[in-house]
Amino acid sequence: MSNLKNFLFTSESVSEGHPDKVSDRISDMVVDSYISEDPFSRVACETLTTTNKVVLAGEVRGPEIKENDLIEKVRHCIKDIGYDQDGFTWKEATKIESHLHSQSSDIAMGVDSSGNKDEGAGDQGIMFGYACNETQELMPAPIHYSHKILRLMAEDRKSGKLKNIEPDSKSQVTFEYVDGKPTKVKSVVISSQHSADVNQTQVRDLLRPYMINSIPKFFLDGFNEDEFYVNPTGNFVIGGPDGDCGLTGRKIIVDTYGGAAPHGGGAFSGKDPTKVDRSAAYAARYIAKNVVASKIANKCLIQLAYAIGVSKPLSIYVDLFDNDVEKNKFVAEKINDNFNLSPRGIREMLNLNKPIYEKTAAYGHFGRSPEENGSFSWEKTDKIKAFLK
């Protein structure tokens, strides 16, 4: 984020019914399906969703899973999200194709461990992790509250409490920062698919409580209602994959920090944890969160770099944003001493060989609560002591 002290900063989120998120959910369902059968399965699955069609493609190595079983699970994902519309439904009208095939032997050779060679990274690339003390979850405020608006909407839509609102939604929150800290909300945008039975005034009345209930009151003091935008283009009845084609991996900034930190470019969904695009980004967040939770710094950025087939990271970069060279050096040393950042080390440290990925596909991979089944293990703050001087 900028070195400016006073500025406006905006982040957006998209709901689980957004076409790209439908694709992410299905791809992560495929990952979980294989890992459920064999924790060391290899999966790289892309999903395309469009009007009454879903296409799966990619590479897998693992147990035999019947195509019909996968297709039924795809239908369950669509049904759970809430789609049963003329142009996109969980029922037979939506055609589902699977083009998954065996993983390349060349890639497998580079990644597999053998003899004295440890398991290598599944690809080259750079991954970033970030944390800051703007929220209790140690996430940037704009993305955190953008996610929360849509998550609460989805919960009430699914329970039946929120009627006439359909699955495809987007949110956007702009914060005013003073002296580098978020002080108040400047504007909020919510665009949501809705039934033909309601007009835009009614949609605004339905959605306004979600802004109020998602954002702490002190951030909304003096909020100008003219800066609350609901469906600015007007009608939004046709939505989801019927309104716009969806693809896996197109919402990487929504998935991470809302633009408040750099991004290495690799998407997460559809990839098993040997892919460092996913696992190393989780590890970098884990480190950054524990650094900030230790209160040694108000914010922390970590970069990790990998080469395909090589187990150790090529570089580890730390920025605590306070120009304290000795403190940065101290944190870098503690990372080397306390974290095994090889692909295998990350998977074992965070217990990633579990079917825990489908629920990461919407409302962000970070800032979530760790769960007993191992989901969101990278959000734990159990390494604080490593950074206490």
Side-chain angles (χ1 to χ4, degrees), residues 67-108:
E67 187 174 301
N68 284 344
D69 291 343
L70 267 187
I71 287 172
E72 280 309 304
K73 288 185 176 184
V74 171
R75 293 196 189 282
H76 178 266
C77 289
I78 297 168
K79 185 177 183 180
D80 184 66
I81 291 167
Y83 279 116
D84 186 12
Q85 300 167 1
D86 288 342
F88 196 71
T89 174
W90 60 274
K91 295 174 182 169
E92 295 296 321
T94 292
K95 305 303 177 193
I96 301 169
E97 301 174 14
S98 176
H99 301 279
L100 296 169
H101 60 270
S102 295
Q103 184 187 47
S104 154
S105 57
D106 288 349
I107 291 177

Side-chain angles (χ1 to χ4, degrees), residues 327-377:
K327 195 200 294 182
N328 272 263
K329 191 175 171 186
F330 169 81
V331 169
E333 287 171 357
K334 292 300 179 183
I335 292 170
N336 276 315
D337 293 345
N338 292 279
F339 298 87
N340 179 349
L341 295 173
S342 69
R344 185 203 301 275
I346 292 170
R347 287 206 327 278
E348 292 176 353
M349 173 174 69
L350 297 177
N351 210 358
L352 296 179
N353 287 106
K354 287 183 168 186
I356 55 175
Y357 298 105
E358 190 175 337
K359 64 175 61 177
T360 66
Y363 314 117
H365 292 245
F366 308 128
R368 312 281 288 273
S369 298
E371 297 179 12
E372 286 188 10
N373 69 351
S375 297
F376 305 105
S377 57

Side-chain angles (χ1 to χ4, degrees), residues 95-149:
K95 305 303 177 193
I96 301 169
E97 301 174 14
S98 176
H99 301 279
L100 296 169
H101 60 270
S102 295
Q103 184 187 47
S104 154
S105 57
D106 288 349
I107 291 177
M109 180 177 63
V111 175
D112 290 347
S113 56
S114 61
N116 294 323
K117 174 185 171 295
D118 194 9
E119 179 184 300
D123 201 353
Q124 72 172 47
I126 55 174
M127 296 84 210
F128 289 93
Y130 182 71
C132 62
N133 62 2
E134 293 179 13
T135 62
Q136 189 177 347
E137 294 76 11
L138 304 185
M139 285 289 286
I143 188 68
H144 176 71
Y145 296 115
S146 294
H147 285 322
K148 191 172 181 183
I149 288 168

